[in-house]
Amino acid sequence: MQDDDNNSNDLDTPRAGWLGPWLKGFPALQAPLPLEQVAQRAWRLGAPELPLPLAVLRQSALAHNITWMQTFAQEQGVQLAPHGKTTMSPQLFKQQLAEGAWGLTFANVHQLRLGLVAGARRALLANQLLSAADLAELLDLRRRHGQPELAFFVDSSAQLAQLAQHWQALGAAARGEARLDVLIELGSSRCGVRQPEQALALARQLQQHPALRLRGLAFYEGLEASGESAADRALLQHWQQRVETVLAGIESEQLMDDADAAPLWLSGGGSALFDLVAPVLAGQGGACRPRLGLLRSGCYVCHDRGLYQRMVAEVDVRLGTPLGAAGHGESASSLRPALEVWTQVLSCPEPGLALLNAGRRDVGFDQGWPLPVWHLPQAPAAARNPAPAGWAITGLNDQHAYLRWDADSVVGPAVGDRVALGPSHPCTTFDKWAWMAVVDDDDRVVDAITTQFS
């Protein structure tokens, strides 16, 4: 309930660094409180004070995933640079860095700002930086945050020419600004040069560029992943051939700056095919210069119940990961789904149909409908149980989810019951929530995270 000495207007006024009723899913009559005091409230999923819908993260699954992927990268001889766009959460960034992540990856300079504030000292911009405004911001961030190690992607002469113009217009050379590191992106279905000759031409231009210095290569394989092992192995063999061809050309022409003998950075995506991407990044081929392999996996931190669960099931088979009794087909040793959106049944207007109070504004749907995961009846002292296998989400409106089942063979929920949904592709659920509760295995709220997408 609201504290007696708390002004009623404070319930409606956002405060920096605090949680309060202005946030979706926060108790409406609870006085605002600092993030670190959430655990003291002793909230529990299913309790009346927690409004639904509510996005939650399973603490044990989060911890497992962060440690598991860090260990995997270390064993593969590569470094982990998790993609921050998945969660945009300072609290999760800090956990990933504390576990040993080399740095963080971002898609733009605005996201990079949050990562540097969260403590990252190394970062990749896995995208083409182009505008004068972005270049000015990047230089400002580099100065104000103690010259962190940074690199972004380039893939065209036009980009290089525009950045040279911006560099001059901003007076960077006159101020003695050090050149910015870049990775040449090799591509096939999105950005990136298509042919090795194009990559080598860019590398030659970078030797004389006033603003940029070649640091390495990057690629993104994710859009071509199929989830079928034979095809995905062939895909990464193809990428490895492209990478080694370009690197051989760079080495033979001595196109890298040898002033500091720094390792060549080689980066790949790796959320869906990390077991196949890592050997490409770690392999030395015939190269003389040492390599730093940077795996940009992002979705591993919370995993999912759809797209990545299907893809990582194949990874588990390739790695020989044993399956355990974790429930819902989860692996005992590989990645575990951590993200859930808890909802309440609003209406059961006809047999085999229930309307839940969460929709497109609350849960991602771009890679498939969310999966019913848990059922918690409204009855006092009722236990949370796995949702019946026959339940399925068949559609979403802005604020409603359509839960259907075969009424002749499966028992459905009742009005007032709680149903937890597991999203497919977590990125497009995180951006719908400004905060998420972190719960333990007994459904007690023990922490919280915030997100900063805007």
Side-chain angles (χ1 to χ4, degrees):
M1 294 294 291
Q2 179 182 343
D3 293 342
D4 291 339
D5 59 352
N6 190 73
N7 187 297
S8 61
N9 290 331
D10 288 344
L11 292 176
D12 304 317
T13 305
R15 302 187 199 175
W18 287 54
L19 304 180
W22 56 84
L23 297 174
K24 178 174 63 174
F26 191 87
L29 301 183
Q30 165 67 50
L33 73 165
L35 192 70
E36 59 270 17
Q37 292 183 14
V38 167
Q40 299 175 16
R41 309 310 301 181
W43 294 328
R44 196 183 189 98
L45 290 179
E49 63 266 23
L50 280 178
L52 301 180
L54 176 68
V56 306
L57 293 166
R58 293 277 166 191
Q59 184 183 48
S60 59
L62 273 179
H64 170 88
N65 292 345
I66 292 172
T67 299
W68 191 95
M69 186 60 82
Q70 190 65 45
T71 301
F72 169 83
Q74 181 178 348
E75 291 175 347
Q76 294 290 316
V78 300
Q79 295 286 342
L80 194 58
H83 211 314
K85 69 177 175 59
T86 298
T87 69
M88 288 300 291
S89 170
Q91 294 78 29
L92 294 180
F93 292 167
K94 290 176 181 179
Q95 289 183 41
Q96 290 169 305
L97 292 168
E99 190 66 28
W102 169 89
L104 298 170
T105 298
F106 299 99
N108 54 50
V109 185
H110 174 73
Q111 294 176 3
L112 171 66
R113 179 185 295 272
L114 177 63
L116 294 177
V117 171
R121 304 306 306 148
R122 306 184 187 97
L124 290 177
L125 285 180
N127 212 344
Q128 278 63 29
L129 183 143
L130 187 65
S131 74
D134 282 346
L135 181 58
E137 184 178 4
L138 183 62
L139 291 172
D140 178 67
L141 289 173
R142 190 173 67 167
R143 288 191 296 267
R144 290 193 298 104
H145 289 275
Q147 304 296 321
E149 287 191 81
L150 304 169
F152 60 88
F153 292 1
V154 296
D155 70 353
S156 70
S157 297
Q159 181 189 5
L160 267 55
Q162 293 188 42
L163 288 172
Q165 293 174 5
H166 300 330
W167 187 263
Q168 181 178 6
L170 291 169
R175 293 195 305 271
E177 294 274 7
R179 290 191 298 166
L180 293 162
D181 287 331
V182 296
L183 307 184
I184 295 174
E185 183 179 12
L186 310 180
S188 58
S189 56
R190 202 165 65 181
C191 298
V193 299
R194 296 326 197 223
Q195 301 298 328
E197 294 78 10
Q198 294 173 288
L200 291 174
L202 284 180
R204 296 183 194 109
Q205 293 178 53
L206 286 166
Q207 281 193 301
Q208 306 300 323
H209 200 280
L212 309 177
R213 181 182 72 155
L214 178 61
R215 192 65 183 265
L217 301 180
F219 63 91
Y220 176 57
E221 75 297 329
L223 294 178
E224 301 164 289
S226 68
E228 200 282 314
S229 284
D232 288 335
R233 288 183 192 277
L235 171 65
L236 268 299
Q237 288 171 359
H238 171 68
W239 275 111
Q240 186 159 29
Q241 291 170 358
R242 294 184 66 188
V243 166
E244 297 300 339
T245 297
V246 175
L247 289 180
I250 288 174
E251 294 237 357
S252 67
E253 296 187 39
Q254 297 183 335
L255 299 177
M256 292 280 292
D257 185 353
D258 288 321
D260 56 4
L264 179 144
W265 293 7
L266 179 58
S267 180
S271 279
L273 304 176
F274 50 84
D275 66 313
L276 300 177
V277 173
V280 177
L281 304 181
Q284 283 295 105
C288 299
R289 181 185 290 267
R291 296 183 191 175
L292 176 66
L294 297 173
L295 192 66
R296 303 194 303 271
S297 304
C299 293
Y300 78 89
V301 68
C302 59
H303 200 38
D304 74 1
R305 302 275 182 174
L307 172 65
Y308 289 107
Q309 189 174 59
R310 293 190 296 272
M311 301 297 287
V312 174
E314 288 298 311
V315 173
D316 287 339
V317 172
R318 292 192 293 266
L319 293 177
T321 303
L323 296 178
H328 292 284
E330 298 165 24
S331 167
S333 299
S334 189
L335 303 179
R336 301 175 185 173
L339 176 60
E340 300 165 3
V341 176
W342 279 66
T343 74
Q344 190 166 35
V345 178
L346 295 178
S347 175
C348 296
E350 61 188 60
L353 173 64
L355 278 300
L356 313 180
N357 69 334
R360 293 172 183 258
R361 304 302 178 102
D362 309 299
V363 63
F365 55 91
D366 59 306
Q367 294 289 348
W369 303 125
L371 178 73
V373 176
W374 302 111
H375 174 219
L376 179 60
Q378 187 178 209
R384 166 171 59 90
N385 291 300
W391 289 11
I393 299 298
T394 61
L396 297 172
N397 298 144
D398 278 1
Q399 313 290 170
H400 296 89
Y402 292 75
L403 173 64
R404 296 186 185 273
W405 64 94
D406 182 352
D408 293 331
S409 59
V410 178
V411 176
V415 171
D417 286 359
R418 278 80 76 186
V419 176
L421 304 179
S424 175
H425 189 206
C427 300
T428 50
T429 295
F430 270 92
D431 64 7
K432 294 171 172 55
W433 294 87
W435 82 290
M436 293 183 177
V438 178
V439 301
D440 65 12
D441 291 338
D442 292 323
D443 292 349
R444 294 173 299 206
V445 177
V446 294
D447 203 351
I449 63 106
T450 60
T451 70
Q452 297 186 22
F453 285 91
S454 59

